[in-house]
């Protein structure tokens, strides 16, 4: 009890478990790895020189940046109007649309990439339909080129762009637009002069987040791109799997890291310094704003200050009716783009024929049978479930403790520690993976379940911290003081008051941790050392070798899982009682 | 373990109270200073609160009043100085072992518990048996007129009802001390007045030592036995409400409690009102008599008078306020509305006069 009190008095103590895991698994290896890249103990830049002097490498580097920039721009161009239209929609539609944007984000990236193979392939849905209609005589080259890479990447990253935009846009006081209109601004200038500047923080968050994640993209370019569309991450992964040139891998990883760091510091940290509220700084806010909508209750609960202005916007004569129609069509197209591939996989997984078809000529469960009848598949599933549960438990505990501790420190400490804890999910995945890989080699945990659990926990903890912190930000500390004043001990206060009130956030964090573990391919494939096969690893393997229809079956199961999660989350939220519901709706 | 500790503390309180003839000091702040970085939220704060007293800490926001309360409650540790409860230092006692009932700003009712569960909480934490709790909660609910609301959630109550639950929750465990942190701030005017009288009645009934923090001077004057006026972390003046209003020691106190006409130092002789060096003369608006220029009051032995013209007239129900320009100054005059009274119009020439004995000399 005294120990608890000491910890209670020094809130930073609660972040120790999370930071320890982070430092041992990711932090120290990164440092060693960095020295390795400099050829320690001789210290030279020879690795970097060797890397950059090879024209092929340089081309890949430029290509990685180019692909990331274009994918980010496409996401922004599609994402901004989408977010704007959702914000302007009536409350019910807005909630529904937010959930629909959210669903694909929860779905495995692997399955979504697989869906595009089914759609774009030479024997894919589009080509076959066009052939059947007699519009073309030979399949169009839709896949294994740059276009397919963009389609796949934008499909995966679009929600990541839209969610921060939505979070910022819904926070903009709608009466400001009305005020601008009242002062004689036409709808467009009201948007241009008032709404757009206020929404820029969301643009910045979304853009940086998307760009940095794109830098580390590995699965999608490799699955959908041609031989020429190699990204730096692919190069790194191949190097590790084959020739294993430490200097080469290290210099490639740190060049990627440097680009990410420059982007983050130039567009992230720097501009946040100019903001009036230091504790709402951009860096800290970014993960939060992504996940603010992620706690369903919150995404659903954003206050409806006035849907009126939006309606008013559209009631400005005939031209606006056309505008509204165009808006609806646009939204419908974006939603189709986001959701259709997943739906197709689900429908096609019930195909009765020898291959997947749409619409299925006969229905059968054959691919499900082949999944559940094959011990190598069920074994992988079981491994994934076990690892996922361990990751969820570990990261929920350390993440919740850390978030709780951070909520009671000064804003400055909070924001710097949070930034540290977020690095595993804000830096390019492959860089994090390579660093952890080296750590695991040193710790002798390569290819062990413990190693995989630790690897995934580093990322999962970041999600838990982000979600629980967002919940705690809305938590009124006076309630704790109130309990203490009624002679509840700190432990009792936490269990009886704090925990019940932040429970939805903790459960949401646990679900995210599980999903993260269940979907993770890049880092897991590096650390697994080919000896442990999780479900995504097995899927990835089969996807590369052949277009195995069994993947459609397991893919639909995985795709449906987030819906179950959302239902679970909704039920916890609902069970929290009417008052809690009302409270969350008001926050 | 917690319960036992508290029991001791509670007994200690009662013993201390009965050992002395005059009302003993229940709470004592000794030179308490609280620094946040380089700024002092509270500077050299010394105060003794007697048992059963209703003491109000009054001050503008940022004057340190809530800090003083939070230090007393144990949520903030003083940077220096000591706090004594029943003659014992509580500097090292964590908040959950100090036996105090607290009503927080915006009530801090547990949103996930029903009204009944909220009231049970402090009893449960003190280890009271379920049956006893039931009876006690029932009794308390009746006392605060919320008998039918036991199974409601706090969010389903009106502001006034929430306020009553918060009060009941602070009182239910029979702690000897009640701390109230701006508890009426969120209520509208009518409800606030009603709650004021309820709080006063509760204080009469239970006789608990009560410390009330507010920035509302009217509330302070209505409720308190004594008022502590705070300014920038320091105590400006401590006195009974009437004394404080009638004999403020500084311009700050005079302005903070009610309206004050400061007679400037450098104007005419009349305006100086005979103020000694370094002091200013002050007259309350209701102490000034306003007469028509044509029929001035002439008792110049006891009275001082000035001439001016009405610059503004504000009608406020039972009161009428005049702003009268006298040279460079504007004096505020407050008059009760009575029938047959002469009403002055804008621009009217008037005579203002007041008793010399009503003029107060204040520190700048």
């Amino acid at each position: 009890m005294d120990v608890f009190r000491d910890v209670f008095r020094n809130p930073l103590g609660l972040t120790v478990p999370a930071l320890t895991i982070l430092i041992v698994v990711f932090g120290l290896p990164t440092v060693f790895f960095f020295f390795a890249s400099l050829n320690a103990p001789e210290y030279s830049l020879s690795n970097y020189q060797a890397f950059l002097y090879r024209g092929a490498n340089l081309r890949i580097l430029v290509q990685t940046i180019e692909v990331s920039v274009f994918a980010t721009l496409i996401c922004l161009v599609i994402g901004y109007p989408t977010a704007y239209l959702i914000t302007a929609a009536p409350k019910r539609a807005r909630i529904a649309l937010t959930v629909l944007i959210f669903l694909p984000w929860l779905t495995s990236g692997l399955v979504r990439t697989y869906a595009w193979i089914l759609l774009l392939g030479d024997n894919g849905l589009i080509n076959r339909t066009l052939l059947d209609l007699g519009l073309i005589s030979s399949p169009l080259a839709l896949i294994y080129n740059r276009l397919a890479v963009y389609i796949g990447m934008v499909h995966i990253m679009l929600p990541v762009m839209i969610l921060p935009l939505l979070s910022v846009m819904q926070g903009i006081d709608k009466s400001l637009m009305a005020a601008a209109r009242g002062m004689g601004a036409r709808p467009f200038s009201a948007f241009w002069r008032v709404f757009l500047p206020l929404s820029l923080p969301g643009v910045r968050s979304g853009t940086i987040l998307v760009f940095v994640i794109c830098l580390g993209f590995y699965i999608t370019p490799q699955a959908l791109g041609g031989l020429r569309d190699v990204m730096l991450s692919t190069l790194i992964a191949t190097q590790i799997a084959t020739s294993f040139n430490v200097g080469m891998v290290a210099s490639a990883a740190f060049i990627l890291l440097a680009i990410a760091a420059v982007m983050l510091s130039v567009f992230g940290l720097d501009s946040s310094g100019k903001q009036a509220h230091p504790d709402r700084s951009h860096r800290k806010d970014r993960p939060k704003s992504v996940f603010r909508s992620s706690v369903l209750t919150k995404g659903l609960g954003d206050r409806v200050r006035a849907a009126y202005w939006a309606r008013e916007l559209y009631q400005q004569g005939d031209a606006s009716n056309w505008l509204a129609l165009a808006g609806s069509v646009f939204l419908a197209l974006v939603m189709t783009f986001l959701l259709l591939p997943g739906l197709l996989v689900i429908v096609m997984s019930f195909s009765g024929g020898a291959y997947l078809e749409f619409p299925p000529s006969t229905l059968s469960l054959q691919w499900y049978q082949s999944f559940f009848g094959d011990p190598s598949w069920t074994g992988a599933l079981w491994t994934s479930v076990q690892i996922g549960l361990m990751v969820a438990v570990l990261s929920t505990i350390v993440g919740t403790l850390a978030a709780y501790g951070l909520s009671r420190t000064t804003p400055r400490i909070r924001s710097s520690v949070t930034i540290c804890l977020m690095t595993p999910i804000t830096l390019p995945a492959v860089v994090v993976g390579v660093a952890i890989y080296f750590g695991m080699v040193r710790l002798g945990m390569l290819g062990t379940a413990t190693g995989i659990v630790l690897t995934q926990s580093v990322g999962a903890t970041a999600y838990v911290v982000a979600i629980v912190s967002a919940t705690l930000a809305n938590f009124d500390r006076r309630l704790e003081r109130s309990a203490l004043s009624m002679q509840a001990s700190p432990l009792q206060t936490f269990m009886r008051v704090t925990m019940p009130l932040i429970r939805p956030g903790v459960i949401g964090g646990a679900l995210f941790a599980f999903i993260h573990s269940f979907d993770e391919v890049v880092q897991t494939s590096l650390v697994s050392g080919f000896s442990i096969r999780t479900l995504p690893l097995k899927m990835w393997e089969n996807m590369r070798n052949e277009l195995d229809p069994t993947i459609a079956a397991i893919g639909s199961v995985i795709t449906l899982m987030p819906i179950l999660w959302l239902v679970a989350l909704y039920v916890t939220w609902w069970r929290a009682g009417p008052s809690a519901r009302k409270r969350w709706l008001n926050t | 373990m917690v319960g036992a500790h508290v029991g001791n503390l509670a007994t200690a309180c009662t013993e201390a109270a009965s050992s002395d003839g005059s009302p003993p000091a229940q709470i004592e702040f000794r030179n308490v200073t609280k620094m946040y970085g380089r700024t002092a939220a509270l500077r050299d704060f010394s105060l003794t609160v007697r048992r059963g007293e209703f003491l109000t800490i009054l001050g503008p926001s940022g004057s340190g009043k809530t800090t003083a309360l939070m230090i007393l409650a144990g949520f903030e540790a003083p940077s220096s100085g000591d706090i004594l409860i029943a003659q014992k230092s509580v500097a090292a006692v964590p908040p959950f072992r100090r036996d105090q009932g607290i009503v927080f700003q915006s009530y801090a009712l547990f949103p996930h518990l029903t009204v009944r569960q909220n009231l049970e909480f402090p009893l449960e934490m003190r280890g009271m048996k379920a049956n006893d709790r039931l009876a006690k909660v029932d009794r308390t609910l009746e006392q605060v007129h919320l008998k039918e609301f036991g199974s409601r959630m706090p969010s389903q109550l009106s502001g006034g009802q929430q306020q009553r639950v918060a009060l009941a929750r602070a009182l239910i465990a029979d702690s000897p001390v009640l701390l109230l942190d701006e508890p009426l701030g969120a209520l509208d005017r009518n409800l606030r007045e009603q709650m004021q009288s309820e709080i006063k009645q509760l204080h009469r009934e239970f006789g608990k030592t009560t410390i009330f923090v507010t920035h509302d001077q009217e509330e302070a004057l209505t409720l308190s036995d004594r008022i502590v006026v705070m300014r920038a972390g320091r105590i400006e003046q401590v006195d009974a409400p009437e004394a404080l209003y009638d004999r403020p020691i500084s311009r700050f106190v005079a302005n903070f409690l009610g309206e004050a006409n400061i007679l400037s130092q450098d104007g005419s002789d009349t305006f100086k009102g005979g103020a000694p060096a370094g002091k200013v003369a002050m007259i309350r608006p209701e102490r000034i008599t306003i007469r028509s220029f044509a029929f001035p009051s002439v008792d110049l032995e006891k009275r001082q008078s000035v001439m001016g013209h009405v610059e503004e007239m504000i009608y406020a129900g039972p009161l009428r306020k005049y702003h009268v320009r006298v040279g460079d100054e504007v004096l505020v005059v407050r008059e009760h509305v009575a029938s047959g009274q002469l009403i002055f119009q804008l621009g009217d020439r008037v005579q203002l006069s007041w008793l010399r004995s009503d003029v107060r000399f204040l520190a700048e």
Side-chain angles (χ1 to χ4, degrees):
Chain A
M1 174 144 183
D2 283 344
V3 173
F4 193 86
R5 200 180 64 210
D6 289 346
V7 171
F8 180 76
R9 281 188 181 164
N10 180 13
L12 221 50
L14 295 174
T15 62
V16 168
L19 284 176
T20 309
I21 294 180
L22 181 73
I23 290 169
V24 170
V25 175
F26 176 51
L28 289 179
T30 307
V31 174
F32 290 135
F33 188 42
F34 183 63
F35 283 122
S37 81
L38 291 175
N39 264 340
E42 287 93 46
Y43 295 108
S44 74
L45 290 174
S46 60
N47 282 327
Y48 292 90
Q49 283 165 346
F51 180 84
L52 291 175
Y53 282 147
R54 278 189 58 186
N57 290 342
L58 209 57
R59 197 180 61 80
I60 291 174
L61 178 63
V62 172
Q63 187 163 287
T64 304
I65 297 174
E66 186 189 316
V67 169
S68 301
V69 167
F70 276 109
T72 310
L73 285 180
I74 299 171
C75 281
L76 183 62
V77 168
I78 301 176
Y80 192 92
T82 309
Y84 179 79
L85 290 167
I86 292 177
T87 314
K91 188 180 181 186
R92 275 172 190 283
R94 200 174 66 217
I95 293 172
L97 288 168
T98 309
V99 171
L100 288 180
I101 295 280
F102 198 60
L103 274 180
W105 190 54
L106 290 178
T107 314
S108 154
L110 207 54
V111 177
R112 291 159 74 192
T113 302
Y114 175 78
W116 284 109
I117 297 179
L118 293 183
L119 270 168
L120 301 174
D122 289 346
N123 265 323
L125 186 60
I126 295 177
N127 271 323
R128 195 157 326 130
T129 312
L130 291 177
L131 282 172
D132 288 353
L133 291 174
L135 291 173
I136 49 171
S137 51
S138 61
L140 296 173
L142 296 172
I143 197 170
Y144 307 127
N145 55 31
R146 191 63 70 81
L147 180 70
V149 173
Y150 284 137
I151 292 178
M153 283 175 78
V154 168
H155 181 240
I156 289 179
M157 296 315 290
L158 197 53
V160 181
M161 177 66 85
I162 293 177
L163 290 173
L165 281 171
L166 267 182
S167 159
V168 170
M169 285 182 184
Q170 294 191 1
I172 295 174
D173 189 344
K174 303 307 183 293
S175 56
L176 294 175
M177 287 284 279
R181 300 284 306 281
M183 286 177 261
R186 303 179 129 265
F188 182 74
S189 46
F191 168 80
W192 187 255
R193 300 281 297 276
V194 179
F195 192 86
L196 185 67
L198 287 171
S199 66
L200 282 182
V203 172
R204 206 174 50 210
S205 302
T207 308
I208 292 179
L209 197 55
V210 169
F211 178 76
V212 171
I213 296 179
C214 280
L215 281 180
F217 251 65
Y218 166 50
I219 303 291
T220 312
Q222 212 188 338
L224 298 177
L227 288 174
R228 290 175 55 84
D229 300 306
V230 182
M231 302 271 280
L232 209 50
S233 48
T234 322
L235 185 72
I236 293 172
T238 327
Q239 281 293 322
I240 287 192
T242 54
S243 66
F244 203 84
N245 177 343
V246 181
M248 162 97 171
V249 170
S251 49
F254 277 102
I255 287 170
L256 204 54
L257 186 64
I259 300 170
V262 166
M263 289 306 288
L264 285 171
S265 56
V266 169
F267 294 101
L269 291 173
D270 185 47
S271 41
S272 75
K274 289 175 200 151
Q275 283 178 352
H277 307 291
D279 64 330
R280 293 212 57 202
S281 72
H282 159 71
R283 269 304 297 264
K284 191 182 72 84
D285 219 35
R286 167 155 40 69
K288 258 196 198 170
S289 49
V290 179
F291 301 114
R292 183 151 296 155
S293 332
S294 75
V295 181
L296 176 66
T297 54
K298 293 198 160 204
L300 296 182
D302 268 320
R303 198 173 294 162
V304 209
R305 268 203 212 81
Y308 308 119
W309 68 271
R311 230 165 279 153
E312 206 179 291
L313 260 182
Y314 294 128
Q315 285 168 357
Q316 295 293 317
D318 297 337
S320 293
N321 284 335
W322 285 108
L323 216 59
L325 184 65
S328 307
V329 170
F330 180 80
L331 264 185
L333 284 175
V334 171
M335 288 299 162
T336 310
F337 172 69
L338 278 177
L339 298 171
L340 193 66
L343 285 176
L344 283 179
V345 172
I346 294 174
V347 174
M348 286 162 96
S349 70
F350 293 102
S351 296
Y355 54 89
L356 296 174
E357 37 179 14
F358 188 87
S361 46
T362 51
L363 292 178
S364 91
L365 290 174
Q366 55 169 330
W367 306 116
Y368 290 87
Q369 281 160 354
S370 90
F371 174 79
F372 287 105
D374 183 346
S376 74
W377 277 114
T378 50
L381 175 65
W382 179 230
T383 310
S384 266
V385 169
Q386 279 176 312
I387 289 179
L389 286 177
M390 284 189 276
V391 169
V393 169
L394 179 64
S395 52
T396 304
I397 293 173
V398 300
T400 303
L401 283 178
Y404 186 70
L406 288 174
S407 75
R408 10 189 93 227
T409 55
T410 60
R412 184 183 296 200
I413 295 177
R414 188 186 313 145
S415 100
S416 41
V417 175
T418 308
I419 288 173
C420 289
L421 288 171
M422 291 297 135
T423 45
I425 54 170
T426 41
L427 295 178
V430 75
V431 178
V432 178
V434 168
I436 294 179
Y437 170 81
F438 276 84
M440 287 300 154
V441 171
R442 280 170 174 269
L443 293 170
M445 287 190 196
L446 203 66
T448 63
T450 323
I452 294 183
V453 169
L454 284 175
T455 304
Q456 297 181 342
S457 292
V458 170
T461 305
Y463 284 98
V464 175
V465 169
I467 296 171
V468 177
S469 291
T471 314
L472 278 167
N474 275 22
F475 178 76
D476 185 355
R477 294 262 331 258
R478 273 181 295 216
L479 295 173
E480 287 180 342
R481 292 187 155 188
S482 179
L484 289 171
S485 81
M486 288 180 258
Q487 309 209 339
S489 70
L491 185 60
Q492 281 171 315
T493 303
F494 184 80
M495 297 310 293
R496 297 284 303 272
V497 177
T498 317
M499 194 55 199
L501 289 170
I502 64 169
R503 189 174 293 143
V506 175
I507 292 175
L511 289 181
F512 263 82
F514 186 82
I515 290 175
H516 171 78
S517 157
F518 210 78
D519 285 350
E520 222 298 317
V521 190
V522 179
Q523 294 160 15
T524 314
S525 69
L526 294 175
V527 173
S528 70
F530 301 107
S531 58
I532 291 186
R533 196 152 289 151
T534 63
L535 191 58
L537 285 188
K538 166 101 176 136
M539 285 165 69
W540 176 225
E541 222 167 78
N542 285 27
M543 242 165 90
R544 280 198 287 190
N545 299 339
E546 55 189 312
L547 204 54
D548 183 355
T550 314
I551 298 177
I554 181 61
S556 354
V557 174
I558 294 180
T559 307
L560 289 171
M561 220 165 52
I563 300 173
L564 296 180
W565 293 142
L566 284 186
V567 170
L569 210 59
Y570 184 74
V571 167
T572 16
W573 174 58
W574 191 254
R575 278 185 37 169
S579 74
R581 276 200 299 282
K582 197 173 162 198
R583 209 161 34 78
W584 283 316
L585 282 174
N586 287 333
T587 46
Chain B
M1 173 188 165
V2 176
H5 202 101
V6 165
N8 291 340
L9 205 68
T11 0
C13 291
T14 7
E15 274 166 13
S18 52
S19 64
D20 200 330
S22 65
Q26 175 122 31
I27 295 162
E28 208 182 333
F29 288 85
R30 281 194 189 153
N31 310 97
V32 173
T33 295
K34 175 71 186 176
M35 306 291 296
Y36 288 111
R38 280 182 163 183
T39 49
L42 210 57
R43 265 181 278 188
D44 204 22
F45 185 88
S46 292
L47 179 70
T48 303
V49 188
R50 291 186 285 268
R51 188 177 158 76
E53 188 175 24
F54 196 116
L55 180 116
T56 297
I57 304 181
L58 176 68
S61 56
S63 60
K65 50 192 193 315
T66 297
T67 308
L69 198 73
M70 290 299 122
I71 288 177
L72 175 59
F75 298 125
E76 307 276 356
S79 308
S80 66
D82 202 0
I83 310 271
L84 286 82
I85 297 178
Q87 275 93 36
K88 280 188 183 152
S89 169
V90 292
V93 180
F96 58 99
R97 292 192 185 136
R98 300 186 186 192
D99 194 9
Q100 296 161 334
I102 306 183
V103 178
F104 288 82
Q105 233 169 45
S106 74
Y107 322 133
L109 296 177
F110 300 132
H112 59 304
L113 302 181
T114 62
V115 167
R116 173 172 282 285
Q117 287 165 332
N118 262 285
L119 292 182
E120 266 191 86
F121 193 89
L123 303 177
E124 201 182 328
M125 292 302 135
R126 284 168 170 80
M128 192 186 263
K129 283 197 195 102
N131 281 341
D132 302 341
R133 290 206 300 257
L134 203 71
K136 182 124 193 177
V137 170
D138 278 336
R139 211 159 51 233
T140 310
L141 278 173
E142 210 157 328
Q143 271 172 339
V144 294
H145 318 295
L146 287 170
K147 214 166 118 190
E148 314 82 80
F149 297 94
S151 53
R152 294 253 186 121
M153 300 307 277
S155 58
Q156 297 168 301
L157 300 180
S158 72
Q161 289 165 336
Q162 291 184 18
Q163 167 69 68
R164 281 208 203 94
V165 176
L167 254 171
R169 195 178 62 170
L171 289 167
I172 198 167
D174 293 320
S175 310
V177 177
L178 180 63
L179 308 181
L180 305 158
D181 185 13
E182 307 227 16
L184 306 180
L187 302 179
D188 63 46
R189 194 186 169 81
N190 283 335
L191 208 51
R192 201 148 70 198
E193 273 171 24
Q194 190 190 330
M195 287 311 299
Q196 278 174 20
S197 64
E198 275 185 42
I199 289 176
K200 198 151 191 180
Q201 198 184 328
L202 283 170
H203 181 247
R204 265 200 302 271
E205 234 170 88
F206 294 95
K208 282 181 201 282
T209 311
T210 305
I211 298 188
F212 186 92
V213 163
T214 183
H215 63 265
D216 184 321
Q217 40 126 340
E218 220 178 288
E219 228 165 73
L221 291 172
T222 318
L223 292 169
S224 332
D225 293 327
R226 278 195 306 158
I227 298 173
V228 179
V229 182
M230 302 278 301
R231 179 191 189 182
R234 287 184 196 280
I235 293 180
E236 187 85 358
Q237 189 173 0
V238 185
D239 230 322
E242 274 188 60
L244 209 58
Y245 185 79
D246 212 32
R247 292 185 297 277
I249 61 158
S250 68
R251 192 173 176 160
F252 176 81
V253 175
N255 271 319
F256 200 70
L257 274 104
E259 263 179 300
N261 289 303
I262 301 295
L263 308 176
S264 78
Q265 285 175 291
D266 44 276
S268 67
D269 283 347
T270 326
F271 261 75
K272 272 190 183 167
K279 299 236 170 185
V280 290
M282 184 277 290
I283 180 87
R284 293 283 187 197
E286 67 275 13
R287 302 283 183 182
I288 300 179
T289 309
I290 183 166
R291 294 280 197 106
S292 162
F293 174 65
F295 308 99
S297 106
V298 286
D299 180 14
L300 293 178
E301 267 303 295
K302 287 184 183 163
R303 302 183 78 89
Q304 292 177 313
S305 71
V306 289
M307 298 293 181
H309 62 269
V310 175
E311 207 169 64
E312 195 162 356
M313 195 273 276
I314 299 157
Y315 174 71
L319 289 172
R320 192 171 281 128
K321 254 163 83 172
Y322 294 103
H323 289 188
V324 178
R325 177 160 291 279
V326 182
D328 292 341
E329 303 290 321
V330 174
L331 296 191
V332 180
V333 180
R334 205 162 6 171
E335 208 180 34
H336 278 276
V337 174
S339 51
Q341 202 176 36
L342 197 57
I343 300 170
F344 299 101
Q345 303 299 324
L346 296 194
D348 281 0
R349 291 269 283 160
V350 291
Q351 182 219 35
L352 303 181
S353 68
W354 53 84
L355 287 170
R356 286 175 194 280
S357 54
D358 282 341
V359 176
R360 302 280 173 250
F361 301 117
L362 315 174
E364 237 323 323

